[in-house]
Amino acid sequence: MIDHAIAALADYGVRTGLIEPADRVWAVNRLLEVMGLSDYQEPAEPVREMALEDILRELLDDAAARGVIEDNITSRDLFDTKLMGVLTPRPSQVQARFHSLYAESPWMATEWYYRFSQDTDYIRRYRIAKDVKWVTPTAYGDLDITINLSKPEKDPRAIAAAKAAPQSGYPKCQLCRENEGYAGRMNHPARQNHRIIPVTIDGRDWFLQYSPYVYYNEHCIVFNSCHTPMKIERATFRKLLDFVKLFPHYFVGSNADLPIVGGSILSHDHFQGGHYTFAMEKAPVERAVRFPGFEDVEAHVRDPSTERA
Ligand SMILES: [Zn+2]
């Protein structure tokens, strides 16, 4: 029975292009190793196509029943990520694919990378599907509302405490590049299925990744290769503009470097972007700002409430 689930997961890898048909026997053997199994019988009949969530549940139930893992949500999340890590190509392969698509168009590159980040289960599609989203008209204009049910929000006091706490551990935080391929632990998520894309921002090495919790379409994070605190300053504008030059079909924005107003990881310099048009972008211009000497630059202060007048 469990052989069916292993075959189904290997087939999922081939079907989604994570592995090639030539990798299938190798992948089955690697999955057996992670499952702590040494025997296998390839199913005689082709295995029926199953949803990834169902395949992983079967494998997790089996591993828990045999005592390979403890039966709790954290252990299960660590373990199914280890399984998916078997199917995930190496960083150099992922970067090469991204760059060859980028040479054709940045749009094609991000489209592929977003699908890839879901196929590897780094973005857990079946959890994101539980989020509730809608647009509602208000006196201030249309508002986007999202109720995030796939990840609990952090307490602002916990965020402030984390910023003040001394740097320790490995990786230093959940945004650090050292998360790529990391096995995780009870208080840090597993990332064997996580791959990041190098980009140059303000002349420095940065990386692009998607948020595992996608609050809106193609919710991406662009982050510094160094674990350095967030700071809103003159260079912030150069960094933001460098990003939209690389990905003109994306927007990018920054949380404030203050704990109460949204940023959840202030110890690591990063921005958030994506393929989405927010209400703010559609809001009427309240005031245009001009910069003497830079007449070709337009800046706007937008205020949805001016529509009421
Ligand atoms: Zn960090």
Side-chain angles (χ1 to χ4, degrees):
M1 188 59 209
I2 201 60
D3 292 351
H4 272 83
I6 289 172
L9 188 52
D11 288 344
Y12 169 89
V14 174
R15 191 167 69 241
T16 52
L18 292 174
I19 59 169
E20 298 292 321
D23 302 322
R24 195 180 176 284
V25 169
W26 166 88
V28 165
N29 283 329
R30 291 282 295 108
L31 293 170
L32 289 172
E33 183 187 338
V34 174
M35 289 293 291
L37 296 167
S38 53
D39 208 11
Y40 176 76
Q41 180 73 52
E42 180 67 29
E45 303 280 311
V47 179
R48 76 187 158 83
E49 202 173 303
M50 290 166 70
L52 180 63
E53 185 182 13
D54 298 331
I55 301 171
L56 293 175
R57 191 188 305 114
E58 272 192 36
L59 294 169
L60 287 163
D61 288 347
D62 181 81
R66 287 183 296 109
V68 176
I69 56 165
E70 282 178 46
D71 200 1
N72 58 60
I73 289 174
T74 308
S75 299
R76 291 170 78 99
D77 280 2
L78 290 171
F79 192 74
D80 68 5
T81 305
K82 190 176 188 179
L83 289 168
M84 292 310 296
V86 168
L87 300 178
T88 306
R90 298 233 172 161
S92 56
Q93 296 170 295
V94 176
Q95 290 172 26
R97 180 75 189 271
F98 185 91
H99 289 133
S100 78
L101 289 169
Y102 186 91
E104 283 185 63
S105 90
W107 185 303
M108 283 172 68
T110 53
E111 194 126 295
W112 171 80
Y113 180 46
Y114 189 59
R115 197 180 60 243
F116 169 85
S117 300
Q118 296 173 82
D119 287 343
T120 60
D121 209 32
Y122 162 74
I123 297 170
R124 293 169 185 260
R125 282 185 177 107
Y126 41 88
R127 287 205 189 145
I128 304 303
K130 292 179 185 150
D131 291 347
V132 186
K133 296 176 189 191
W134 74 97
V135 177
T136 195
T138 72
Y140 301 97
D142 286 344
L143 279 189
D144 297 280
I145 301 184
T146 303
I147 303 176
N148 171 28
L149 297 173
S150 48
K151 175 200 167 212
E153 283 293 346
K154 287 190 196 169
D155 185 317
R157 285 166 300 181
I159 296 167
K163 195 191 182 188
Q167 285 184 16
S168 66
Y170 176 89
K172 289 197 179 91
C173 80
Q174 289 195 25
L175 279 180
C176 278
R177 61 178 298 185
E178 288 81 9
N179 282 282
E180 189 176 43
Y182 187 61
R185 45 179 205 261
M186 292 309 275
N187 62 356
H188 193 105
R191 293 288 183 240
Q192 291 100 324
N193 58 351
H194 180 39
R195 298 294 180 263
I196 59 180
I197 304 293
V199 287
T200 303
I201 299 289
D202 196 21
R204 303 285 170 102
D205 293 336
W206 282 56
F207 291 96
L208 171 71
Q209 68 179 35
Y210 288 104
S211 162
Y213 309 109
V214 279
Y215 293 170
Y216 49 83
N217 187 49
E218 296 175 46
H219 177 180
C220 71
I221 300 173
V222 53
F223 62 99
N224 201 313
S225 61
C226 302
H227 182 81
T228 181
M230 280 207 67
K231 191 173 172 216
I232 305 302
E233 55 185 346
R234 189 184 179 98
T236 304
F237 293 91
R238 270 201 308 272
K239 293 171 184 175
L240 293 170
L241 291 168
D242 273 1
F243 178 81
V244 287
K245 268 186 252 165
L246 289 170
F247 301 100
H249 57 301
Y250 271 21
F251 81 90
V252 71
S254 174
N255 287 313
D257 48 0
L258 303 167
I260 198 76
V261 286
S264 61
I265 305 182
L266 303 178
S267 58
H268 196 129
D269 195 14
H270 71 283
F271 304 114
Q272 313 206 36
H275 208 173
Y276 192 76
T277 306
F278 275 105
M280 180 61 80
E281 229 175 303
K282 289 178 267 183
V285 174
E286 186 197 55
R287 189 156 56 89
V289 183
R290 300 273 170 198
F291 306 96
F294 299 92
E295 275 68 28
D296 54 335
V297 176
E298 264 183 63
H300 298 142
V301 176
R302 291 180 184 269
D303 180 4
S305 64
T306 56
E307 216 163 34
R308 289 176 305 166

